[in-house]
Amino acid sequence: MSYDIDVPGAYRQSGIYVGRILKGEKPSELPVVRPTKFELAINLKTAKTLGLTVPTGMLAIADEVIE
């Protein structure tokens, strides 16, 4: 199981920051932006190998289920 930030969203935000810096803004004056979207991925094959049962509620909210 993995719970991590939305990587494409983080890259997009990095590009926005670079653009603002290239337009002349000082990096020290830019606000710190934290990720707002996270992704949950569940690997059912690994869970089965470990003898774990993943609740159906977790499977329903997962962004990605690897079978």
Side-chain angles (χ1 to χ4, degrees):
M1 187 165 27
S2 169
Y3 188 65
D4 199 6
I5 64 169
D6 173 40
V7 176
Y11 287 146
R12 191 175 312 106
Q13 188 61 44
S14 297
I16 292 169
Y17 260 53
V18 169
R20 290 175 69 177
I21 292 168
L22 292 175
K23 289 179 183 178
E25 290 189 51
K26 293 182 181 180
S28 62
E29 294 176 0
L30 293 176
V32 174
V33 178
R34 293 188 225 167
T36 56
K37 183 177 178 197
F38 294 85
E39 294 181 344
L40 174 64
I42 299 174
N43 189 326
L44 289 178
K45 183 178 178 182
T46 301
K48 183 179 177 183
T49 302
L50 294 172
L52 302 173
T53 303
V54 180
T56 55
M58 282 194 89
L59 294 174
I61 64 169
D63 296 300
E64 182 180 2
V65 177
I66 303 167
E67 296 188 36

